[in-house]
Structures are given as C-alpha cells and as structure tokens.
Amino acid sequence: MRTVELVCSPGLDVAVRAVWGRLAAGLPSLARNIHPTNRPHLTLAAVDDFPPGVAHGLAELFDAALPVSVTLERVVVLDGSAPLVWLVRPTPALTALHAAVWDVLAEADGQRPWHAPGEWVPHLSLALRFRDADLRRARAVSGGQRPAGDFVAARSYDGTDRTVTPLTRLG
C-alpha cells in the first residue's frame, strides 16, 4: 500500500506531538510508536501502488499548491472504537487539493474508498484502537485547543517496506 500524506508545519507538528505526549501518560497514544516514519500527517489517499509517472505528477501538484493553511477542530473517536483523531477543518483549498490528488491517482489500483472525495474525514491521528468511553478524558488531556498551522510538504508511505518518499522538495 502507498499513501499520499501532507506533513505539518513545525508549529502544528509540535502541538500534535504535545497532545500525543499528554495522552501517553495513561491512555493510548501515537507517542508510543517509535518508528522513524511516525509523525503527525494528514492522509489524502491510499492505493495499492503508484502507476508510472504518478509520483512526478503528485510532486508537481504539491509544489504548486503548498503550503495549505488549516485549523484543527475537535477531538473525536472515529466509529466509536477506532482511532482517536483531531479533526481538520476542510477549507476550500484543502478540499480542492484532495480532489486534485484523486484526479492524479485516477488510474491507480486499490484505491481505499474511505479517502475518496465525499467520504474522506480529514484528521490527524492521536491514538489507534481507542475506546469511545475514554473520549471525555482524552478531550480533557488535549486541552480543548484548536491550533492553526500549515501543511508544508507531502510524502508517500510504503506499507510494505515501511519507508517514506518525499513528494515535494521540502519532503
């Protein structure tokens, strides 16, 4: 599987990692994932693999479109017993970029439908396998903040070999 992800500006990255750290003091948290590829990011799409030329097309798209300013909204548990996430306000610029990524990936096999335009819930993950029963505590730990920042670069994660490839010059 190959993903297409946006990477946070330093300030937004710090804000998310701070919540990861506070959650780790008693709740599930991505702070416990010490793999070097683990960092706050927004997934735009996931496919089985990139067809020829797609990585170049994505890089051109991102180099022209980034940075994209965003504001984080509330902390929720997706589907009641899945990831704890910080929702990202879907601005017109972010929504247009997302749709453009899907246009570039039109011929890719294995498109994950939960990332498709109309289905996609933009978010930054805070913890995996989180219980809805712990949501109130998680919201208290996150402090009710609504930080703003930018997505400044893009990358692709390869789930087979657990590596990332930059999709922008800033990677």
Side-chain angles (χ1 to χ4, degrees):
M1 178 186 69
R2 295 285 303 266
T3 63
V4 178
E5 303 171 352
L6 296 179
V7 178
C8 300
S9 61
L12 193 55
D13 188 275
V14 166
V16 174
R17 288 180 188 272
V19 172
W20 283 3
R22 292 193 302 271
L23 286 169
L27 292 168
S29 171
L30 283 173
R32 292 188 180 96
N33 179 347
I34 59 170
H35 195 273
T37 63
N38 183 41
R39 69 184 292 182
H41 66 274
L42 174 68
T43 303
L44 300 174
V47 297
D48 287 344
D49 205 357
F50 289 165
V54 162
H56 179 73
L58 289 170
E60 286 184 343
L61 173 66
F62 291 126
D63 283 342
L66 295 177
V68 172
S69 296
V70 294
T71 300
L72 303 186
E73 294 186 326
R74 66 190 189 285
V75 171
V76 301
V77 177
L78 294 181
D79 301 324
S81 62
L84 178 72
V85 303
W86 217 336
L87 296 177
V88 175
R89 184 175 301 146
T91 63
L94 181 60
T95 303
L97 179 58
H98 177 249
V101 165
W102 274 77
D103 288 344
V104 173
L105 292 171
E107 302 301 318
D109 290 332
Q111 297 174 355
R112 303 314 192 267
W114 52 87
H115 293 120
E119 298 298 321
W120 181 57
V121 177
H123 65 273
L124 301 175
S125 295
L126 300 172
L128 304 178
R129 293 181 288 284
F130 201 86
R131 296 177 323 140
D132 204 27
D134 291 327
L135 180 58
R136 180 175 291 168
R137 192 167 150 214
R139 283 185 174 152
V141 167
S142 71
Q145 304 167 43
R146 307 249 171 148
D150 299 301
F151 290 116
V152 295
R155 69 181 192 168
S156 176
Y157 176 76
D158 185 328
T160 302
D161 62 14
R162 298 184 72 193
T163 59
V164 295
T165 303
L167 293 173
T168 52
R169 286 173 286 194
L170 298 175

